[in-house]
Amino acid sequence: MKKYNTFLFGVFFANCVVFSSCAANNVGKTIEEKEQQAKQVQTNVYTISTAAELNALSLQPGDKVVMKAGEWKSQLINFKAKGSPEKPITLVAETKGAVILSGNSNLKIDGEWLVVEGLSFKNGFSLKDDVVVFTKATSNSRLTNTSIENYNPSDKTIDYKWVSLFGKNNRVDHCSISGKTHQGTTLVVWLDDQPNYHQIDHNYFGPRPDLGVNGGETIRIGTSTYSMNDSYTTVQHNIFDKCNGEMEIISIKSGYNKILNNLFYECVGTVTFRHGNHSEVSNNYLIGNGVASTGGIRIIGESQKVADNYLYKVAGTGLRAAISVMNAYQNPELHEYWQVKNALIENNIIVDAKEALVLGAGKDSKRILAPDGIKIINNYIINPGALLVSQDHATNLVVQNNQVDGASLASGFVKMGSDLQMSDGIWQNKTVLQQPFWLNTEVGPDWKKDNRSFIFR
């Protein structure tokens, strides 16, 4: 019996040794795996003082580059790298807003999954290149929390852009872009033969004076050359404050774009479907306050949608009316005026406009083709100077159930009911009350508070 117990104890001891050894091995493997994982997520943080130091880095996914606070005079920042969805590569200011790119500085974003944050361009101008460029090879990258302010050459005829968006799936957000006085569009989305799906959101576009010439748009999406191509760009939750560069505040020159929930405050110009088809301008606020030549929404092209916008005291007429539907050329070139077909204009609220609706706007010896298949339905129009102006006879026109107060009724218009109520200082449909986005949403850099005052006079 004693020998048997000794035998059992030996077996038990051996098993414990084996078990302990296995457990130790398992723990060892777990530690090794965790160390390996830690190595994989380990990132490098580099602090730099010049563009040359950035160029010397070999950046890997997850790396972070910190630009030291201070003035960076005439520095050409070339941020070239490839991050990943899980581990983007970031280029950030040591203190947001305290990295001042002055002199002839500019920025090139060139790669994949890159983020630039917290820079300030001022006290200078670009010599030849655009101020910020997302290159053609750039995708899934972002410029955020950055400002470009009064970055102008002394010669106002010099034409360059402040932001050029090439590539695919890039984003410009929470930036402040203000005071462009020389020629050239402020921000351009450039197209090729593929959609680019860019996003422009939560930016403050500050005052821009009237140039007196063409080419002063605040945003242009596309070009005449690629105007029949689709972009799928979204412009959302931005403020356009006195952006008066030229007649077109936003010029849509491509297909399938969305201009959603933006504020256009006292802008002497229009949101224009200039070229391309199947785009949408919805849920925007266009506040003219009776300022001369303030405009609304101008429609050209096919299958455009204008819905749920609020237009207040727009003082323009004809091409600058609250909603203007243009005449077209008979056989247009790409850069000319194409016929409006199958436009939908619905659920807009138009208050105290000089001209609420204009059909056949711009009719002349060349623009002879009237709009076709227009639907004007379920809009609300209060105290218009003129309710509906027809400069040409639109074919297949549907005008239905538009409610009017303060004007003589016409076919398709009925007396205003009780659908609307005043909320947050604007007329809104009782069933869909919502606070204007700029009252509860951060727009522009979190480190910079622009001098803004949006009063409805």
Side-chain angles (χ1 to χ4, degrees):
M1 185 68 176
K2 193 171 185 180
K3 289 182 179 178
Y4 181 74
N5 285 341
T6 303
F7 172 77
L8 285 179
F9 177 77
V11 171
F12 174 77
F13 179 78
N15 284 339
C16 285
V17 170
V18 171
F19 177 80
S20 299
S21 176
C22 290
N25 285 339
N26 287 338
V27 169
K29 284 182 182 177
T30 303
I31 291 171
E32 261 183 34
E33 286 171 0
K34 286 187 175 179
E35 285 176 346
Q36 201 63 31
Q37 288 171 0
K39 286 179 182 176
Q40 287 174 359
V41 298
Q42 185 180 2
T43 59
N44 298 308
V45 178
Y46 302 96
T47 299
I48 62 170
S49 301
T50 66
E53 291 177 20
L54 175 62
N55 294 338
L57 297 176
S58 179
L59 296 170
Q60 300 301 314
D63 285 353
K64 180 179 183 179
V65 182
V66 179
M67 297 173 69
K68 290 196 72 171
E71 184 175 10
W72 290 55
K73 190 169 184 179
S74 299
Q75 296 287 303
L76 308 183
I77 310 297
N78 185 16
F79 184 31
K80 184 178 177 67
K82 287 189 178 182
S84 68
E86 299 79 16
K87 294 186 286 184
I89 301 172
T90 57
L91 176 67
V92 301
E94 183 178 43
T95 303
K96 285 185 281 189
V99 170
I100 311 300
L101 288 148
S102 63
N104 306 124
S105 297
N106 58 28
L107 166 67
K108 184 182 291 183
I109 301 171
D110 185 9
E112 301 172 8
W113 300 101
L114 306 177
V115 178
V116 178
E117 181 174 9
L119 310 185
S120 173
F121 288 86
K122 62 182 180 180
N123 304 325
F125 58 92
S126 183
L127 283 177
K128 56 177 182 177
D129 292 329
D130 300 340
V131 180
V132 177
V133 178
F134 291 73
T135 70
K136 292 180 180 179
T138 300
S139 64
N140 300 296
S141 295
R142 181 182 180 197
L143 176 72
T144 186
N145 253 330
T146 290
S147 75
I148 309 174
E149 190 173 21
N150 303 316
Y151 209 64
N152 298 298
S154 57
D155 183 353
K156 306 305 181 190
T157 66
I158 293 175
D159 185 334
Y160 62 79
K161 285 60 178 169
W162 278 11
V163 181
S164 274
L165 271 169
F166 293 91
K168 305 285 185 293
N169 298 101
N170 296 314
R171 183 184 181 196
V172 176
D173 68 282
H174 295 91
C175 292
S176 177
I177 302 174
S178 183
K180 191 174 195 291
T181 59
H182 64 97
Q183 283 184 239
T185 306
T186 305
L187 186 156
V188 178
V189 172
W190 298 95
L191 264 72
D192 53 26
D193 55 356
Q194 296 293 323
N196 41 35
Y197 302 99
H198 294 314
Q199 186 171 330
I200 303 161
D201 64 283
H202 296 90
N203 302 290
Y204 172 75
F205 292 95
R208 183 174 188 189
D210 187 355
L211 290 178
V213 293
N214 195 28
E217 308 98 321
T218 297
I219 293 178
R220 192 183 76 223
I221 306 172
T223 60
S224 299
T225 304
Y226 288 99
S227 57
M228 293 304 164
N229 291 45
D230 300 327
S231 176
Y232 290 93
T233 287
T234 298
V235 179
Q236 188 170 22
H237 291 127
N238 302 283
I239 293 173
F240 298 84
D241 184 7
K242 301 180 183 67
C243 294
N244 303 338
E246 64 145 79
M247 184 175 176
E248 298 174 13
I249 311 160
I250 295 181
S251 184
I252 304 170
K253 293 189 173 183
S254 52
Y256 288 98
N257 301 290
K258 292 187 176 183
I259 315 299
L260 306 175
N261 214 5
N262 303 279
L263 169 64
F264 299 87
Y265 186 78
E266 294 185 358
C267 294
V268 179
T270 64
V271 178
T272 302
F273 298 87
R274 185 61 186 87
H275 297 304
N277 308 310
H278 301 283
S279 287
E280 176 181 354
V281 175
S282 294
N283 296 103
N284 300 283
Y285 303 82
L286 295 98
I287 311 304
N289 278 337
V291 174
S293 298
T294 47
I297 300 165
R298 186 162 58 119
I299 304 174
I300 303 158
E302 299 185 14
S303 302
Q304 317 286 26
K305 180 180 178 181
V306 176
D308 301 291
N309 300 286
Y310 187 78
L311 300 104
Y312 178 76
K313 289 191 176 181
V314 171
T317 61
L319 302 180
R320 295 177 187 255
I323 298 178
S324 177
V325 186
M326 282 198 69
N327 258 28
Y329 287 20
Q330 189 76 46
N331 295 297
E333 300 290 335
L334 279 175
H335 66 280
E336 294 175 334
Y337 291 89
W338 288 67
Q339 187 180 22
V340 178
K341 294 181 180 179
N342 304 319
L344 176 61
I345 302 167
E346 68 173 348
N347 296 326
N348 300 284
I349 299 175
I350 304 172
V351 181
D352 293 337
K354 197 162 187 179
E355 290 181 348
L357 297 156
V358 175
L359 298 178
K363 181 182 179 181
D364 59 18
S365 60
K366 287 187 176 180
R367 292 188 287 242
I368 60 173
L369 207 56
D372 178 55
I374 312 305
K375 289 183 179 179
I376 303 173
I377 57 176
N378 300 325
N379 299 285
Y380 300 88
I381 303 171
I382 301 172
N383 298 326
L387 177 61
L388 177 63
V389 177
S390 293
Q391 296 183 0
D392 204 348
H393 177 69
T395 55
N396 300 307
L397 175 65
V398 175
V399 183
Q400 188 174 31
N401 195 38
N402 299 284
Q403 298 188 34
V404 180
D405 184 46
S408 299
L409 301 180
S411 178
F413 296 89
V414 299
K415 184 174 175 56
M416 184 79 70
S418 58
D419 292 354
L420 303 183
Q421 75 174 57
M422 184 67 71
S423 178
D424 285 310
I426 64 175
W427 288 104
Q428 299 193 50
N429 194 307
K430 292 177 182 177
T431 61
V432 286
L433 294 178
Q434 58 181 359
Q435 190 175 48
F437 73 92
W438 65 89
L439 298 179
N440 58 21
T441 305
E442 191 71 37
V443 176
D446 58 16
W447 54 268
K448 185 179 191 299
K449 299 304 176 188
D450 296 284
N451 183 23
R452 312 175 196 167
S453 178
F454 307 123
I455 300 169
F456 293 16
R457 292 190 283 267

